[in-house]
Short mmCIF file of all heavy atoms in Angstrom, two decimals:
data_model
loop_
_atom_site.label_atom_id
_atom_site.label_comp_id
_atom_site.label_asym_id
_atom_site.label_seq_id
_atom_site.Cartn_x
_atom_site.Cartn_y
_atom_site.Cartn_z
N ASP A 1 84.87 178.90 -9.95
CA ASP A 1 86.29 178.69 -9.78
C ASP A 1 86.56 177.19 -9.57
O ASP A 1 85.73 176.48 -8.96
CB ASP A 1 86.82 179.41 -8.52
CG ASP A 1 86.78 180.88 -8.84
OD1 ASP A 1 87.14 181.39 -9.91
OD2 ASP A 1 86.49 181.70 -7.85
N VAL A 2 87.81 176.74 -10.00
CA VAL A 2 88.13 175.31 -9.84
C VAL A 2 89.60 175.31 -9.33
O VAL A 2 90.37 176.01 -10.00
CB VAL A 2 87.96 174.49 -11.14
CG1 VAL A 2 88.40 173.08 -10.86
CG2 VAL A 2 86.48 174.56 -11.62
N TRP A 3 89.93 174.58 -8.37
CA TRP A 3 91.26 174.43 -7.97
C TRP A 3 91.42 173.08 -7.18
O TRP A 3 90.46 172.46 -6.83
CB TRP A 3 91.80 175.63 -7.11
CG TRP A 3 91.20 175.72 -5.75
CD1 TRP A 3 91.73 175.38 -4.54
CD2 TRP A 3 89.93 176.32 -5.33
NE1 TRP A 3 90.99 175.65 -3.51
CE2 TRP A 3 89.86 176.20 -4.00
CE3 TRP A 3 88.90 176.88 -6.10
CZ2 TRP A 3 88.66 176.67 -3.31
CZ3 TRP A 3 87.73 177.39 -5.31
CH2 TRP A 3 87.70 177.32 -4.02
N HIS A 4 92.69 172.72 -6.84
CA HIS A 4 92.90 171.54 -6.05
C HIS A 4 94.00 171.79 -5.07
O HIS A 4 94.85 172.63 -5.28
CB HIS A 4 93.10 170.28 -6.89
CG HIS A 4 94.46 170.25 -7.57
ND1 HIS A 4 95.51 169.74 -6.94
CD2 HIS A 4 94.73 170.55 -8.86
CE1 HIS A 4 96.53 169.78 -7.77
NE2 HIS A 4 96.13 170.27 -8.92
N THR A 5 93.95 171.08 -4.04
CA THR A 5 94.96 170.97 -3.00
C THR A 5 95.61 169.62 -3.13
O THR A 5 95.33 168.98 -4.10
CB THR A 5 94.45 171.16 -1.51
OG1 THR A 5 93.56 170.06 -1.27
CG2 THR A 5 93.61 172.42 -1.39
N HIS A 6 96.55 169.22 -2.20
CA HIS A 6 97.19 167.99 -2.37
C HIS A 6 96.24 166.77 -2.24
O HIS A 6 96.52 165.73 -2.82
CB HIS A 6 98.30 167.79 -1.34
CG HIS A 6 97.81 167.59 0.02
ND1 HIS A 6 97.40 168.65 0.90
CD2 HIS A 6 97.76 166.44 0.78
CE1 HIS A 6 97.04 168.11 2.04
NE2 HIS A 6 97.22 166.84 2.01
N ASP A 7 94.99 166.97 -1.69
CA ASP A 7 94.12 165.88 -1.58
C ASP A 7 92.63 166.13 -1.86
O ASP A 7 91.75 165.31 -1.69
CB ASP A 7 94.22 165.28 -0.16
CG ASP A 7 93.75 166.23 0.92
OD1 ASP A 7 93.60 167.40 0.73
OD2 ASP A 7 93.44 165.75 2.11
N ARG A 8 92.33 167.40 -2.32
CA ARG A 8 90.96 167.74 -2.59
C ARG A 8 90.81 168.54 -3.92
O ARG A 8 91.70 169.36 -4.09
CB ARG A 8 90.35 168.61 -1.51
CG ARG A 8 90.44 168.00 -0.08
CD ARG A 8 89.58 166.83 0.07
NE ARG A 8 88.21 167.20 0.40
CZ ARG A 8 87.25 166.22 0.52
NH1 ARG A 8 87.51 165.00 0.45
NH2 ARG A 8 85.93 166.59 0.75
N LEU A 9 89.75 168.26 -4.64
CA LEU A 9 89.34 169.05 -5.83
C LEU A 9 88.24 169.87 -5.34
O LEU A 9 87.27 169.43 -4.78
CB LEU A 9 88.95 168.21 -6.97
CG LEU A 9 88.39 168.86 -8.21
CD1 LEU A 9 89.41 169.76 -8.91
CD2 LEU A 9 87.76 167.86 -9.16
N LEU A 10 88.28 171.20 -5.59
CA LEU A 10 87.23 172.08 -5.15
C LEU A 10 86.66 172.89 -6.38
O LEU A 10 87.35 173.36 -7.23
CB LEU A 10 87.79 173.13 -4.19
CG LEU A 10 88.28 172.46 -2.83
CD1 LEU A 10 89.71 172.35 -2.89
CD2 LEU A 10 87.79 173.20 -1.69
N LEU A 11 85.28 172.89 -6.41
CA LEU A 11 84.62 173.70 -7.43
C LEU A 11 83.67 174.68 -6.64
O LEU A 11 82.93 174.25 -5.84
CB LEU A 11 83.76 172.79 -8.28
CG LEU A 11 84.48 171.70 -9.05
CD1 LEU A 11 84.46 170.45 -8.27
CD2 LEU A 11 83.89 171.49 -10.39
N GLN A 12 83.77 175.98 -7.01
CA GLN A 12 82.98 176.99 -6.27
C GLN A 12 82.21 177.83 -7.28
O GLN A 12 82.79 178.34 -8.25
CB GLN A 12 83.91 177.81 -5.44
CG GLN A 12 83.15 178.76 -4.53
CD GLN A 12 84.13 179.48 -3.62
OE1 GLN A 12 84.92 180.28 -4.01
NE2 GLN A 12 84.15 179.04 -2.34
N VAL A 13 80.94 178.02 -6.95
CA VAL A 13 80.05 178.88 -7.82
C VAL A 13 79.38 179.92 -6.91
O VAL A 13 78.93 179.60 -5.81
CB VAL A 13 78.95 177.99 -8.49
CG1 VAL A 13 77.99 178.83 -9.28
CG2 VAL A 13 79.54 176.93 -9.31
N THR A 14 79.44 181.14 -7.33
CA THR A 14 78.80 182.22 -6.59
C THR A 14 77.86 182.93 -7.50
O THR A 14 78.13 183.13 -8.74
CB THR A 14 79.88 183.20 -6.07
OG1 THR A 14 80.74 182.54 -5.26
CG2 THR A 14 79.26 184.33 -5.32
N ASP A 15 76.65 183.36 -6.99
CA ASP A 15 75.73 184.16 -7.83
C ASP A 15 75.36 185.32 -7.01
O ASP A 15 75.75 185.61 -5.89
CB ASP A 15 74.55 183.29 -8.25
CG ASP A 15 73.54 182.98 -7.08
OD1 ASP A 15 73.67 183.64 -6.02
OD2 ASP A 15 72.72 182.12 -7.27
N ASP A 16 74.63 186.27 -7.69
CA ASP A 16 74.17 187.44 -7.02
C ASP A 16 72.67 187.43 -6.74
O ASP A 16 71.98 188.41 -6.75
CB ASP A 16 74.53 188.65 -7.86
CG ASP A 16 73.93 188.67 -9.28
OD1 ASP A 16 73.28 187.76 -9.53
OD2 ASP A 16 74.11 189.67 -9.97
N GLY A 17 72.16 186.27 -6.54
CA GLY A 17 70.72 186.07 -6.25
C GLY A 17 70.28 186.56 -4.83
O GLY A 17 71.08 187.29 -4.13
N GLN A 18 69.09 186.14 -4.46
CA GLN A 18 68.57 186.57 -3.18
C GLN A 18 68.87 185.70 -1.96
O GLN A 18 68.41 185.99 -0.91
CB GLN A 18 67.01 186.72 -3.35
CG GLN A 18 66.62 187.76 -4.39
CD GLN A 18 65.21 187.93 -4.48
OE1 GLN A 18 64.33 187.50 -3.69
NE2 GLN A 18 64.76 188.68 -5.50
N GLY A 19 69.68 184.81 -2.17
CA GLY A 19 70.04 183.84 -1.04
C GLY A 19 68.95 182.88 -0.68
O GLY A 19 67.87 182.76 -1.35
N GLY A 20 69.21 182.16 0.41
CA GLY A 20 68.18 181.15 0.86
C GLY A 20 68.32 179.82 0.32
O GLY A 20 67.54 178.95 0.62
N ALA A 21 69.36 179.55 -0.39
CA ALA A 21 69.51 178.18 -0.98
C ALA A 21 69.82 177.23 0.06
O ALA A 21 70.56 177.52 1.08
CB ALA A 21 70.74 178.21 -2.02
N ASN A 22 69.22 176.02 0.06
CA ASN A 22 69.52 174.97 1.06
C ASN A 22 69.16 173.64 0.46
O ASN A 22 68.65 173.54 -0.63
CB ASN A 22 68.70 175.31 2.37
CG ASN A 22 67.23 175.21 2.03
OD1 ASN A 22 66.67 174.18 1.81
ND2 ASN A 22 66.59 176.39 2.23
N THR A 23 69.45 172.63 1.28
CA THR A 23 69.20 171.22 0.81
C THR A 23 67.88 170.73 1.26
O THR A 23 67.50 169.61 0.97
CB THR A 23 70.31 170.28 1.37
OG1 THR A 23 70.39 170.25 2.70
CG2 THR A 23 71.63 170.60 0.73
N LYS A 24 67.09 171.48 1.99
CA LYS A 24 65.81 171.09 2.61
C LYS A 24 64.66 171.26 1.63
O LYS A 24 63.67 170.55 1.70
CB LYS A 24 65.53 171.82 3.91
CG LYS A 24 66.63 171.82 4.96
CD LYS A 24 66.88 170.39 5.48
CE LYS A 24 67.84 170.47 6.55
NZ LYS A 24 68.98 169.57 6.37
N THR A 25 64.71 172.33 0.79
CA THR A 25 63.60 172.55 -0.17
C THR A 25 64.09 172.20 -1.63
O THR A 25 65.17 172.57 -2.02
CB THR A 25 63.17 174.02 -0.08
OG1 THR A 25 64.34 174.91 -0.45
CG2 THR A 25 62.60 174.40 1.25
N GLY A 26 63.30 171.41 -2.24
CA GLY A 26 63.59 170.95 -3.62
C GLY A 26 64.58 169.75 -3.53
O GLY A 26 64.94 169.25 -2.49
N THR A 27 65.03 169.27 -4.68
CA THR A 27 65.84 168.16 -4.75
C THR A 27 67.18 168.33 -5.45
O THR A 27 68.07 167.52 -5.34
CB THR A 27 65.08 167.02 -5.61
OG1 THR A 27 64.78 167.56 -6.96
CG2 THR A 27 63.75 166.64 -4.89
N GLY A 28 67.37 169.52 -6.04
CA GLY A 28 68.64 169.81 -6.70
C GLY A 28 69.89 169.74 -5.91
O GLY A 28 70.78 168.82 -6.10
N LEU A 29 69.95 170.55 -4.85
CA LEU A 29 71.12 170.60 -4.02
C LEU A 29 71.22 169.37 -3.10
O LEU A 29 72.26 168.87 -2.81
CB LEU A 29 71.12 171.91 -3.12
CG LEU A 29 71.34 173.25 -3.95
CD1 LEU A 29 71.17 174.39 -3.03
CD2 LEU A 29 72.69 173.17 -4.63
N ALA A 30 70.05 168.79 -2.65
CA ALA A 30 69.98 167.63 -1.87
C ALA A 30 70.59 166.44 -2.69
O ALA A 30 71.33 165.61 -2.30
CB ALA A 30 68.57 167.26 -1.48
N GLY A 31 70.23 166.40 -4.00
CA GLY A 31 70.77 165.32 -4.89
C GLY A 31 72.30 165.50 -5.07
O GLY A 31 73.04 164.48 -5.08
N LEU A 32 72.75 166.74 -5.22
CA LEU A 32 74.24 166.97 -5.33
C LEU A 32 74.89 166.48 -4.04
O LEU A 32 76.01 165.84 -4.14
CB LEU A 32 74.52 168.39 -5.61
CG LEU A 32 74.25 168.93 -6.98
CD1 LEU A 32 74.45 170.37 -7.00
CD2 LEU A 32 75.13 168.16 -8.03
N THR A 33 74.35 166.80 -2.89
CA THR A 33 74.85 166.44 -1.65
C THR A 33 75.03 164.91 -1.53
O THR A 33 75.97 164.28 -1.10
CB THR A 33 74.04 166.90 -0.48
OG1 THR A 33 74.05 168.30 -0.51
CG2 THR A 33 74.58 166.45 0.91
N GLU A 34 73.96 164.11 -1.94
CA GLU A 34 74.00 162.68 -1.94
C GLU A 34 75.02 162.08 -2.91
O GLU A 34 75.80 161.23 -2.45
CB GLU A 34 72.64 162.10 -2.35
CG GLU A 34 71.53 162.32 -1.37
CD GLU A 34 70.20 161.86 -1.80
OE1 GLU A 34 70.09 161.19 -2.91
OE2 GLU A 34 69.22 162.19 -1.12
N ARG A 35 75.16 162.74 -4.09
CA ARG A 35 76.26 162.23 -5.04
C ARG A 35 77.62 162.40 -4.42
O ARG A 35 78.50 161.61 -4.59
CB ARG A 35 76.04 162.90 -6.39
CG ARG A 35 74.82 162.35 -7.10
CD ARG A 35 74.51 163.14 -8.30
NE ARG A 35 73.35 162.67 -9.15
CZ ARG A 35 72.12 162.81 -8.86
NH1 ARG A 35 71.70 163.59 -7.82
NH2 ARG A 35 71.21 162.27 -9.56
N LEU A 36 77.84 163.61 -3.84
CA LEU A 36 79.20 163.90 -3.32
C LEU A 36 79.48 163.05 -2.20
O LEU A 36 80.62 162.54 -1.96
CB LEU A 36 79.30 165.37 -2.92
CG LEU A 36 79.32 166.31 -4.17
CD1 LEU A 36 79.20 167.76 -3.61
CD2 LEU A 36 80.64 166.16 -4.86
N ASP A 37 78.51 162.77 -1.21
CA ASP A 37 78.68 161.83 -0.09
C ASP A 37 79.18 160.45 -0.61
O ASP A 37 79.91 159.73 0.03
CB ASP A 37 77.30 161.69 0.64
CG ASP A 37 77.00 162.79 1.56
OD1 ASP A 37 77.91 163.75 1.76
OD2 ASP A 37 75.85 162.93 1.97
N ALA A 38 78.56 159.99 -1.75
CA ALA A 38 78.84 158.70 -2.29
C ALA A 38 80.39 158.52 -2.62
O ALA A 38 80.86 157.39 -2.68
CB ALA A 38 78.04 158.36 -3.48
N VAL A 39 81.07 159.65 -2.90
CA VAL A 39 82.50 159.59 -3.20
C VAL A 39 83.42 160.24 -2.25
O VAL A 39 84.45 160.72 -2.54
CB VAL A 39 82.76 160.17 -4.69
CG1 VAL A 39 82.10 159.23 -5.70
CG2 VAL A 39 82.35 161.54 -4.77
N ASP A 40 82.87 160.29 -0.92
CA ASP A 40 83.57 160.96 0.11
C ASP A 40 83.86 162.49 -0.12
O ASP A 40 84.82 162.97 0.26
CB ASP A 40 84.95 160.34 0.40
CG ASP A 40 84.79 158.86 0.85
OD1 ASP A 40 83.82 158.62 1.54
OD2 ASP A 40 85.68 158.01 0.47
N GLY A 41 82.85 163.06 -0.74
CA GLY A 41 82.88 164.51 -1.06
C GLY A 41 82.00 165.26 -0.06
O GLY A 41 81.36 164.73 0.85
N LEU A 42 81.87 166.57 -0.34
CA LEU A 42 81.21 167.43 0.58
C LEU A 42 80.67 168.65 -0.23
O LEU A 42 81.35 169.12 -1.12
CB LEU A 42 82.24 167.98 1.69
CG LEU A 42 81.70 168.96 2.70
CD1 LEU A 42 80.66 168.26 3.60
CD2 LEU A 42 82.89 169.47 3.50
N LEU A 43 79.43 169.04 0.09
CA LEU A 43 78.84 170.25 -0.52
C LEU A 43 78.65 171.28 0.63
O LEU A 43 77.99 170.95 1.62
CB LEU A 43 77.46 169.91 -1.18
CG LEU A 43 76.87 171.03 -2.00
CD1 LEU A 43 77.65 171.17 -3.31
CD2 LEU A 43 75.43 170.76 -2.31
N VAL A 44 79.22 172.43 0.44
CA VAL A 44 79.16 173.50 1.40
C VAL A 44 78.28 174.68 0.80
O VAL A 44 78.63 175.10 -0.27
CB VAL A 44 80.56 174.02 1.79
CG1 VAL A 44 80.44 175.16 2.77
CG2 VAL A 44 81.32 172.88 2.37
N ILE A 45 77.18 175.06 1.50
CA ILE A 45 76.37 176.06 1.03
C ILE A 45 76.41 177.29 1.97
O ILE A 45 76.19 177.10 3.16
CB ILE A 45 74.91 175.56 0.83
CG1 ILE A 45 74.77 174.39 0.04
CG2 ILE A 45 73.97 176.68 0.34
CD1 ILE A 45 73.53 173.58 0.04
N ASP A 46 76.73 178.41 1.39
CA ASP A 46 76.69 179.75 2.13
C ASP A 46 75.70 180.61 1.37
O ASP A 46 75.96 181.10 0.28
CB ASP A 46 78.05 180.44 2.15
CG ASP A 46 78.07 181.67 2.99
OD1 ASP A 46 77.19 181.84 3.81
OD2 ASP A 46 79.00 182.52 2.68
N SER A 47 74.50 180.82 1.95
CA SER A 47 73.51 181.43 1.24
C SER A 47 72.59 182.27 2.12
O SER A 47 71.43 181.96 2.43
CB SER A 47 72.64 180.42 0.42
OG SER A 47 71.69 181.09 -0.39
N PRO A 48 73.19 183.35 2.72
CA PRO A 48 72.39 184.14 3.64
C PRO A 48 71.12 184.85 2.92
O PRO A 48 71.27 185.14 1.67
CB PRO A 48 73.36 185.12 4.16
CG PRO A 48 74.39 185.28 3.02
CD PRO A 48 74.45 183.93 2.44
N THR A 49 70.19 185.18 3.66
CA THR A 49 69.01 185.93 3.10
C THR A 49 69.53 187.24 2.49
O THR A 49 70.29 187.93 3.15
CB THR A 49 68.01 186.19 4.15
OG1 THR A 49 67.54 184.86 4.70
CG2 THR A 49 66.77 186.95 3.63
N GLY A 50 69.20 187.51 1.31
CA GLY A 50 69.64 188.76 0.73
C GLY A 50 70.80 188.45 -0.27
O GLY A 50 71.19 189.33 -1.06
N GLY A 51 71.38 187.35 -0.16
CA GLY A 51 72.42 186.87 -1.09
C GLY A 51 73.84 187.47 -0.67
O GLY A 51 73.96 188.18 0.41
N PRO A 52 74.88 187.24 -1.36
CA PRO A 52 74.90 186.20 -2.49
C PRO A 52 74.94 184.75 -2.03
O PRO A 52 75.15 184.54 -0.78
CB PRO A 52 76.15 186.65 -3.21
CG PRO A 52 77.09 187.05 -2.18
CD PRO A 52 76.14 187.77 -1.17
N THR A 53 74.87 183.84 -2.91
CA THR A 53 75.01 182.43 -2.58
C THR A 53 76.30 181.93 -3.11
O THR A 53 76.70 182.27 -4.26
CB THR A 53 73.87 181.61 -3.24
OG1 THR A 53 72.65 182.01 -2.68
CG2 THR A 53 74.08 180.13 -3.01
N THR A 54 77.06 181.21 -2.32
CA THR A 54 78.31 180.55 -2.75
C THR A 54 78.12 179.06 -2.38
O THR A 54 77.85 178.64 -1.24
CB THR A 54 79.58 181.08 -2.00
OG1 THR A 54 79.62 182.53 -2.33
CG2 THR A 54 80.83 180.42 -2.47
N ILE A 55 78.34 178.25 -3.42
CA ILE A 55 78.31 176.82 -3.21
C ILE A 55 79.65 176.22 -3.54
O ILE A 55 80.15 176.51 -4.65
CB ILE A 55 77.16 176.17 -4.01
CG1 ILE A 55 75.85 176.70 -3.45
CG2 ILE A 55 77.15 174.69 -3.86
CD1 ILE A 55 74.60 176.25 -4.29
N THR A 56 80.22 175.44 -2.66
CA THR A 56 81.48 174.75 -2.90
C THR A 56 81.31 173.25 -2.84
O THR A 56 80.83 172.76 -1.92
CB THR A 56 82.53 175.17 -1.84
OG1 THR A 56 82.60 176.70 -1.85
CG2 THR A 56 83.91 174.68 -2.17
N ALA A 57 81.81 172.58 -3.84
CA ALA A 57 81.79 171.16 -3.94
C ALA A 57 83.29 170.73 -3.75
O ALA A 57 84.21 171.15 -4.39
CB ALA A 57 81.30 170.57 -5.22
N GLU A 58 83.54 169.80 -2.71
CA GLU A 58 84.78 169.32 -2.46
C GLU A 58 84.85 167.78 -2.78
O GLU A 58 83.90 167.06 -2.27
CB GLU A 58 85.18 169.47 -1.03
CG GLU A 58 85.33 170.94 -0.53
CD GLU A 58 85.84 171.14 0.82
OE1 GLU A 58 86.47 170.06 1.31
OE2 GLU A 58 85.57 172.15 1.38
N LEU A 59 85.73 167.43 -3.55
CA LEU A 59 85.91 165.96 -3.96
C LEU A 59 87.30 165.49 -3.66
O LEU A 59 88.26 166.26 -3.62
CB LEU A 59 85.64 165.74 -5.42
CG LEU A 59 84.26 166.14 -5.88
CD1 LEU A 59 84.30 166.69 -7.26
CD2 LEU A 59 83.47 164.83 -5.81
N PRO A 60 87.53 164.19 -3.35
CA PRO A 60 88.82 163.66 -3.12
C PRO A 60 89.70 163.90 -4.38
O PRO A 60 89.14 163.69 -5.45
CB PRO A 60 88.64 162.25 -2.83
CG PRO A 60 87.19 162.11 -2.44
CD PRO A 60 86.46 163.15 -3.20
N TRP A 61 90.96 164.27 -4.17
CA TRP A 61 91.84 164.38 -5.31
C TRP A 61 92.82 163.22 -5.23
O TRP A 61 93.64 163.06 -4.21
CB TRP A 61 92.60 165.69 -5.24
CG TRP A 61 93.70 165.92 -6.29
CD1 TRP A 61 94.94 165.66 -6.24
CD2 TRP A 61 93.43 166.42 -7.59
NE1 TRP A 61 95.62 165.93 -7.44
CE2 TRP A 61 94.64 166.31 -8.27
CE3 TRP A 61 92.24 166.82 -8.24
CZ2 TRP A 61 94.76 166.82 -9.61
CZ3 TRP A 61 92.45 167.24 -9.64
CH2 TRP A 61 93.67 167.24 -10.20
N ARG A 62 92.69 162.29 -6.15
CA ARG A 62 93.55 161.10 -6.15
C ARG A 62 94.35 161.03 -7.38
O ARG A 62 93.90 161.18 -8.45
CB ARG A 62 92.57 159.82 -6.08
CG ARG A 62 91.79 159.87 -4.79
CD ARG A 62 90.96 158.60 -4.62
NE ARG A 62 90.24 158.57 -3.36
CZ ARG A 62 88.89 158.58 -3.29
NH1 ARG A 62 88.16 158.54 -4.36
NH2 ARG A 62 88.34 158.57 -2.12
N VAL A 63 95.61 160.91 -7.12
CA VAL A 63 96.62 160.79 -8.25
C VAL A 63 96.62 159.44 -8.85
O VAL A 63 96.48 158.41 -8.23
CB VAL A 63 98.00 161.23 -7.76
CG1 VAL A 63 98.97 161.16 -8.92
CG2 VAL A 63 97.96 162.52 -7.14
#
């Protein structure tokens, strides 16, 4: 899903995997977090054991 508020662009991806996604193991999500930090963005990960995983990227929305 993709949407925006008056000041943020949000992108959200959900899967039906087994959960456990985090920025501590591997480099993929950690790299996304670093890239979003560089533009005042945020990566939010909700990935409980057993799933599902939902990852939301928030970026500044500038007109």
Side-chain angles (χ1 to χ4, degrees):
D1 293 322
V2 178
W3 71 98
H4 72 86
T5 64
H6 72 282
D7 65 344
R8 304 294 278 179
L9 172 66
L10 296 103
L11 300 97
Q12 188 172 75
V13 177
T14 301
D15 71 16
D16 60 355
Q18 297 183 11
N22 64 67
T23 59
K24 307 295 186 234
T25 56
T27 58
L29 293 175
L32 286 175
T33 299
E34 290 176 9
R35 286 171 176 83
L36 289 168
D37 284 345
V39 294
D40 298 324
L42 179 66
L43 189 72
V44 178
I45 302 168
D46 180 24
S47 187
T49 301
T53 295
T54 300
I55 297 177
T56 306
E58 297 185 22
L59 295 146
W61 179 263
R62 298 184 178 118
V63 180

